[in-house]
Amino acid sequence: MISDKISNSIKNSSMIRAMFEEGAKLKKIYGDDKVYDFSLGNPDPEPPAEVKAALRELANSEELKMHSYMNNAGYPEVREALAEKINSETGLKLGSDNVVMTVGAGGALNVVLKTLLNPGEEVIVFAPYFVEYNSYIDNHGGRLKVIDTDYKTFLPDTELLTKSITSNTKAVLINTPNNPTGVVYSKKILTEIANVLEKKSKEYGHTIYIISDEPYRKLAYDVEVPNILTIYRNAIMIDCFSKSLSLPGERMGYIAANPEADDIASLMGGLIYCNRILGFVNAPALFQKVVAKAINSSVDINIYKERRDLLYNSLINFGYECVKPDGAFYLFPKALLADDVEFKNRALKHNLLIVPGSGFGRPGYFRLAYCCSLETIKASLPAFKALAEEFK
Amino acid sequence: MISDKISNSIKNSSMIRAMFEEGAKLKKIYGDDKVYDFSLGNPDPEPPAEVKAALRELANSEELKMHSYMNNAGYPEVREALAEKINSETGLKLGSDNVVMTVGAGGALNVVLKTLLNPGEEVIVFAPYFVEYNSYIDNHGGRLKVIDTDYKTFLPDTELLTKSITSNTKAVLINTPNNPTGVVYSKKILTEIANVLEKKSKEYGHTIYIISDEPYRKLAYDVEVPNILTIYRNAIMIDCFSKSLSLPGERMGYIAANPEADDIASLMGGLIYCNRILGFVNAPALFQKVVAKAINSSVDINIYKERRDLLYNSLINFGYECVKPDGAFYLFPKALLADDVEFKNRALKHNLLIVPGSGFGRPGYFRLAYCCSLETIKASLPAFKALAEEFK
């Protein structure tokens, strides 16, 4: 009785549900600490002390109207604080009117896509990629075009990008640090992408946007995450506090654009309008103020770095092939079987919960989310070793 | 460069922006207290003490993982609490799995419409109606069919409804207590609507849903708001805490369905899936717990009742025609000119900010939102009187 498309999508997503159920079953049999769950990207560190203090301060204050509607774009002072932070890091000149507060990065992506897309316009995405992009683009009548990254580096292939752009291309959606690979795009590669789009925008006589989804931008270990707004004038930056402040359940994110972008007033007007008509209305009130008060804080990224180092080094030692990730909290090693779904099943026999790469548009690989304690990782290592030995 | 549809929609909505700007200009000239702003439905009472206490308690607690992701449907214990509350009021037998927590009622409506609608399917709405329904239905490829209510009562005309349903009708979207009229649908009228839909569902061989948007259900003054789930098995109830707990900025709402509804598992599965893929992901974590702790509290509705009585009685005395509203915080009197936009301009000359009925699909009327102090209402009365006298 519900929509045919939704009904079919649910049937197709039942594989993932089945996986979780299998995991739950294993945990019941063997105990939580004997099942090594690398399937979920749910940040486990607590929010920084500054966040907890800001929340307490606001909750205990006598300030009135703290939970009222505000402008659909969010509180002006919060947007101003974010604009100033970006400016201080980049030398750009964003104003509060170049920032829109959103219901997380997922909300932000839907707002941006709704604002930009005419029916049938294409959005290019580099595989492997976060599979929700399929739905987000389809929600607003767009067409997803997936192109492969380089097999050795998981970095975009700009020649392939150049060939893939058509008159129908509206945007290129990038995600750095990347889910699922953990790869961070350098200034060099971003500049190459920007150059391609600059040229193609001219050739086709319309703006081709970069939509840069950066929920993991604070989680970079050995490298810097360049600010896309300094590299491409028509970039739209999406950031959130789910990972950097460990607040995923509170749904707080934002969109920022360069004041020099084409027709910036209508872009920002569109974003604010779409934030409203998609039913978000505004980002949750109280947590806008919380993140503004804790704007310079971050979770301790060494927690994640230590896990990455242990897990990455161990896997390499056991004979897995894996691009060393510079950020996010994922590893994306090569599966030891061409059939990554079957490989996931084999891993399950060792009480290892992993996600097949085909769930990210790149079969033959698997994703590990290290949102679990160092102890769990340590305890899991013999299982990874035994799994590798099966295929020697 | 943005989507043509969004670009055009923004141009069309510029009338409302112009109105706000005119209002702001007037306030600058005459002072805030000399401009009587009845344009915005932004609840002004503070949240009840129980809400503030719950927020303080949670913010000060040492509970871990309070801001993590949870099930996309929301915390099971919060959904359980809401299900039990509905059960205790109705004798129904909802479980936690018949409730989905949402980003406000606006988010809930989008989730429901995305779940139900195949391309081109119709949703029937009774005029006057909340104009965002246009966007919400269009977002998901549906077609809005507007039919008039009775001119004397603003109640649905079930004969007209019967004639308007086609094989393409997926749902009837009702809103009680109503924005903009303040009218509350009685059990009798709801039962009549249910009977029509029961018959038509059989005739066409598919379920026709009632989607009942009830953000004002706690704001009813002299009458009871019946629970739609007790009246129609295939009703989907949408409620939120924006008005009942004065928390509009926090975006907290929920969807509830009757466990006896057709194919309930796939309906609930669809709602949860759509909550995720529309980018809401989950309702904000902390405020789910806040509303569960304050589940039996409510703003003091006598604040609104007193305002309604003063404003309604005064307008009637001055010669305005108006259906006496039983709920919400709106009056919807007849404009004293056929051209309600021109009437809005004439009101502006008396420093009265009102919204033309054409903004709600019913020209010739105007909406007053009494989300302002009793003092403002008292101070505005001479202006309403003078305005009426112009047309005598």
Side-chain angles (χ1 to χ4, degrees), chain A residues 318-321 333-340 343 364-366 384-385 387-392:
Chain A
F318 302 152
Y320 292 88
E321 270 178 62
K334 208 163 176 182
L336 302 175
L337 269 176
D339 181 346
D340 55 332
F343 184 70
Y365 290 77
F366 63 100
F384 279 113
K385 193 174 179 198
L387 178 63
E389 277 164 4
E390 275 186 31
F391 297 94
K392 266 186 183 150

Side-chain angles (χ1 to χ4, degrees), chain B residues 74 152 161 206 238 246 316 351 381:
Chain B
K152 291 213 184 80
L161 173 64
H206 72 255
I238 292 172
S246 262
I316 297 296
N351 287 359
L381 296 178

Side-chain angles (χ1 to χ4, degrees), chain A residues 110-364:
Chain A
N110 277 277
V111 166
V112 169
L113 292 163
K114 175 85 180 174
T115 302
L116 295 184
L117 293 176
N118 288 303
E121 284 183 334
E122 281 170 7
V123 179
I124 292 178
V125 165
F126 299 103
Y129 67 100
F130 180 48
V131 75
E132 298 290 86
Y133 294 162
N134 289 313
S135 303
Y136 294 172
I137 292 166
D138 182 70
N139 285 342
H140 311 293
R143 284 222 304 264
L144 174 72
K145 184 184 260 184
V146 180
I147 64 178
D148 255 329
T149 49
D150 182 284
Y151 266 74
K152 291 210 183 82
T153 61
F154 295 132
L155 289 174
D157 172 341
T158 44
E159 261 183 64
L160 185 57
L161 173 63
T162 308
K163 279 187 283 188
S164 304
I165 293 172
T166 70
S167 63
N168 206 26
T169 304
K170 191 56 161 279
V172 175
L173 169 51
I174 62 174
N175 173 214
T176 167
N178 187 265
N179 175 9
T181 67
V183 162
V184 178
Y185 295 1
S186 65
K187 186 162 184 178
K188 180 170 169 290
I189 187 82
L190 291 170
T191 306
E192 282 173 30
I193 296 173
N195 290 342
V196 170
L197 298 190
E198 201 78 65
K199 192 172 139 252
K200 288 288 180 180
S201 293
K202 258 188 210 136
E203 182 180 332
Y204 290 119
H206 71 256
T207 311
I208 303 174
Y209 292 89
I210 291 179
I211 304 169
S212 189
D213 180 24
E214 308 181 2
Y216 305 96
R217 65 174 291 114
K218 283 273 184 76
L219 306 189
Y221 308 120
D222 321 296
V223 298
E224 209 198 329
V225 180
N227 188 303
I228 191 70
L229 302 181
T230 64
I231 293 172
Y232 189 59
R233 200 168 45 84
N234 288 309
I236 299 170
M237 173 186 165
I238 292 173
D239 187 11
C240 70
F241 303 92
S242 298
K243 283 80 183 179
S244 59
L245 299 181
S246 263
L247 291 173
E250 303 301 351
R251 316 305 304 126
M252 187 56 56
Y254 67 93
I255 305 165
N258 190 319
E260 305 293 319
D262 294 339
D263 206 0
I264 182 73
S266 103
L267 174 64
M268 299 312 302
L271 296 172
I272 297 166
Y273 176 77
C274 289
N275 205 29
R276 194 186 94 207
I277 66 163
L278 288 174
F280 298 108
V281 182
N282 56 254
L286 184 67
F287 271 89
Q288 288 189 44
K289 300 202 175 198
V290 170
V291 300
K293 277 179 186 284
I295 199 165
N296 292 314
S297 69
S298 163
V299 293
D300 178 4
I301 68 164
N302 289 314
I303 296 174
Y304 289 119
K305 185 174 192 290
E306 204 179 351
R307 296 175 187 175
R308 180 206 58 172
D309 289 342
L310 176 64
L311 193 56
Y312 173 79
N313 292 331
S314 305
L315 290 184
I316 295 297
N317 274 341
F318 302 152
Y320 292 88
E321 270 178 62
C322 184
V323 173
K324 186 172 184 183
D326 288 318
F329 39 55
Y330 304 109
L331 289 174
F332 199 64
K334 208 163 176 182
L336 302 175
L337 269 176
D339 181 346
D340 55 332
V341 177
E342 178 53 24
F343 184 70
K344 180 266 299 174
N345 293 335
R346 299 281 289 269
L348 258 184
K349 300 216 163 102
H350 295 269
N351 286 0
L352 288 168
L353 305 186
I354 66 176
V355 185
S358 24
F360 303 91
R362 182 67 77 93

